[in-house]
Amino acid sequence: MKLAGVAARFFLFVLIGVLTAAVGELQYSVFIRGDWANWFGSMAFNALYLAAAFGVTRLLFQVVGRGRVAFLLCAALGAGGGLLVEWFLIGNSPWGNPDASQIGMAAYWACLVVVPLILVEPDARLRPLRRAVVAYGLVYTALALLAHWLLPSGDWRYAYHLWSVILGYVGWLALCVVGYLHAHRMLS
């Protein structure tokens, strides 16, 4: 039974992480570049990244315990690992693509890890944070889709999508970190 619970959490973690990535990747790969193949490839790669992140987070929670320090380490490792992907696999390093937003990319990759961590955490006292995290994701997705269909020109859509990915994931990460630290303080 315990193995079934771990398998269910693994599946949910990866699924939620892929959904967390989907809107940003949709904006960049499809809305900006018109490249559906890149979107599907990104989703597949993100699933593999999340499978590894699940193992790392479980190990970290066993070694450090489930607390603020472990959560912050998970966020930092997600961001750091993601930046390594961006820099060395994708070519968005500060020296290779100085226009790339390092903060936006770090927040994106951290969100891929911390959003699923929050949503699969079974503690009922985190329910308000889970609702806020889901609501943020739904509003962000709705705004991205509406803007794509309503903005009048390609230049406006490009600027909107580029900045909404950066600000959207930075805001989502801030909500997750502040909300988790606050909830954890209340749990202690």
Side-chain angles (χ1 to χ4, degrees):
M1 185 64 171
K2 186 175 181 176
L3 185 58
V6 171
R9 286 183 130 182
F10 171 79
F11 176 77
L12 284 173
F13 183 91
V14 172
L15 177 64
I16 292 165
V18 167
L19 290 173
T20 300
V23 66
E25 289 295 339
L26 183 69
Q27 286 182 278
Y28 184 73
S29 295
V30 178
F31 293 165
I32 291 174
R33 296 176 56 207
D35 188 351
W36 280 98
N38 188 65
W39 186 77
F40 287 115
S42 295
M43 294 299 92
F45 181 85
N46 289 340
L48 294 173
Y49 179 86
L50 287 157
F54 180 83
V56 170
T57 60
R58 296 302 125 201
L59 180 63
L60 192 60
F61 285 155
Q62 286 178 353
V63 172
V64 178
R66 287 187 180 271
R68 290 181 282 192
V69 171
F71 181 81
L72 292 173
L73 283 171
C74 288
L77 289 172
L83 283 176
L84 291 175
V85 168
E86 292 285 345
W87 294 353
F88 298 108
L89 294 180
I90 300 173
N92 283 327
S93 65
W95 56 90
N97 183 3
D99 293 333
S101 170
Q102 302 303 314
I103 292 170
M105 291 184 301
Y108 167 86
W109 288 98
C111 281
L112 264 63
V113 175
V114 299
V115 169
L117 278 178
I118 289 168
L119 296 182
V120 301
E121 179 63 43
D123 194 323
R125 296 172 286 183
L126 291 174
R127 192 172 296 140
L129 177 57
R130 284 195 293 269
R131 281 194 301 266
V133 166
V134 169
Y136 186 99
L138 292 173
V139 168
Y140 172 43
T141 301
L143 290 174
L145 294 173
L146 283 172
H148 182 70
W149 290 312
L150 296 177
L151 288 174
S153 75
D155 290 339
W156 284 60
R157 284 191 298 269
Y158 176 82
Y160 176 81
H161 289 309
L162 188 63
W163 282 103
S164 70
V165 168
I166 295 167
L167 298 175
Y169 282 98
V170 168
W172 210 353
L173 179 60
L175 171 66
C176 290
V177 170
V178 171
Y180 187 91
L181 295 178
H182 177 72
H184 192 271
R185 187 186 80 233
M186 293 174 60
L187 300 176
S188 299

